[in-house]
Amino acid sequence: EAEVAQSPRYKITEKSQAVAFWCDPISGHATLYWYRQILGQGPELLVQFQDESVVDDSQLPKDRFSAERLKGVDSTLKIQPAELGDSAMYLCASSLRTGSLETQYFGPGTRLLVL
Amino acid sequence: AQSVSQHNHHVILSEAASLELGCNYSYGGTVNLFWYVQYPGQHLQLLLKYFSGDPLVKGIKGFEAEFIKSKFSFNLRKPSVQWSDTAEYFCAVNAKEGGGYQKVTFGIGTKLQVIP
C-alpha cells in the first residue's frame, strides 16, 4: 500500500538554526498539506499545495517558515531561524485532487525539538 | 471559517465498556467528516469517514459514527472497547473554501485510555 514518506523522523536543533523537512506524497496525489501538531492539540494546517501552487498559507508564519513544491511532487518545509516554540510534530499529508472533497493520507511525521 | 469541537479531552474506560466520543462542527455548507486515530508511537490513520448517504457509517475495528446534520454532530461509538483501543482520536471536518479547494480542520483530540 502506497504511503506518504517523510524525513527525517526526528530532528533536534538549537534555536536560531535552520531546519528543513521533506515529504514525498503518494504517487499521483495532486494535493499536499503540511500540518503542525503541538503536543496535546490537533493538527493545524500550515500550507496546502495544489500541484506546485500554494492554495492556502494563511496559517504559515511567513517571517520564518517557507514551503515549496517545485515540480508538483515532493515538498520541503523550512524554518529559519528556529525558535523554542517551534518544537512540535510536523505532518505531511496528501490527497488525490482538490476541487472535490478527498480523503487525506498522513505520513509518519517529523518530530522537531528546538533547544 | 469552520471549527471542530471535541468535548472529552481524556476518557478512561474499563475493557468491555461502551464508548461514545463527541464531535461537533460549525460550518453551513457541505462537509465531509472524519475520525482519525493515532496509536502510541504511530501516525494518524483514518478510522472512518462520512461523505454522503447513510448517516451511520462503519469503520475499522468495530467503530461507527453517526452524522446528525441538525445537530452538526459526528459522534464516534464502539459498543465494547478493548485495551488495544488506547489511543488519541481526532475528529476532522473537510469543507470547500471560497477558492474551490478543500480545507480540513481538526479537533483538539480525545485521549482514550482503556484499563484491562
Side-chain angles (χ1 to χ4, degrees):
Chain A
E1 184 178 317
E3 291 187 344
V4 176
Q6 288 188 250
S7 67
R9 295 292 305 276
Y10 304 93
K11 179 70 177 177
I12 301 174
T13 191
E14 293 183 343
K15 63 179 182 179
S16 79
Q17 296 298 303
V19 292
F21 313 131
W22 176 80
C23 172
D24 191 13
I26 293 172
S27 178
H29 280 196
T31 311
L32 184 146
Y33 313 79
W34 282 103
Y35 288 87
R36 177 172 59 187
Q37 185 178 14
I38 295 171
L39 197 63
Q41 298 182 21
E44 295 176 280
L45 181 68
L46 290 175
V47 62
Q48 179 176 340
F49 289 91
Q50 172 67 17
D51 298 311
E52 67 277 4
S53 301
V54 173
V55 296
D56 186 351
D57 63 356
S58 56
Q59 301 301 312
L60 188 71
K62 298 181 187 66
D63 57 333
R64 298 185 299 106
F65 286 64
S66 64
E68 60 183 18
R69 193 183 184 200
L70 293 176
K71 297 182 180 178
V73 181
D74 58 336
S75 175
T76 302
L77 178 70
K78 297 179 181 177
I79 308 174
Q80 183 173 17
E83 295 181 354
L84 296 178
D86 297 332
S87 295
M89 177 74 87
Y90 290 83
L91 299 168
C92 181
S94 69
S95 63
L96 192 58
R97 62 186 183 274
T98 194
S100 60
L101 297 176
E102 297 280 345
T103 302
Q104 294 182 319
Y105 296 89
F106 283 83
T110 296
R111 186 170 293 283
L112 172 67
L113 178 61
V114 182
L115 302 175
Chain B
Q2 64 226 44
S3 66
V4 179
S5 297
Q6 290 185 242
H7 316 298
N8 318 101
H9 299 310
H10 197 178
V11 173
I12 302 174
L13 293 173
S14 298
E15 273 192 318
S18 64
L19 169 73
E20 181 160 3
L21 301 182
C23 173
N24 284 89
Y25 67 94
S26 64
Y27 185 76
T30 301
V31 296
N32 291 350
L33 298 155
F34 305 83
W35 276 97
Y36 285 87
V37 60
Q38 191 167 25
Y39 297 104
Q42 298 187 27
H43 60 280
L44 279 167
Q45 301 172 38
L46 183 66
L47 198 56
L48 50 77
K49 62 185 178 183
Y50 171 79
F51 272 36
S52 64
D54 189 344
L56 183 63
V57 292
K58 296 190 184 298
I60 59 172
K61 304 186 181 183
F63 286 91
E64 66 179 29
E66 184 175 13
F67 171 50
I68 302 179
K69 190 174 182 179
S70 61
K71 295 184 178 180
F72 297 91
S73 70
F74 191 56
N75 292 354
L76 180 71
R77 299 194 293 251
K78 185 171 183 178
S80 176
V81 294
Q82 301 173 322
W83 176 78
S84 57
D85 293 324
T86 295
E88 192 157 14
Y89 294 81
F90 294 93
C91 181
V93 171
N94 191 358
K96 276 199 180 180
E97 288 290 298
Y101 61 90
Q102 63 177 8
K103 182 166 185 174
V104 181
T105 303
F106 282 80
I108 197 171
T110 297
K111 288 185 180 178
L112 172 65
Q113 184 179 355
V114 180
I115 301 170

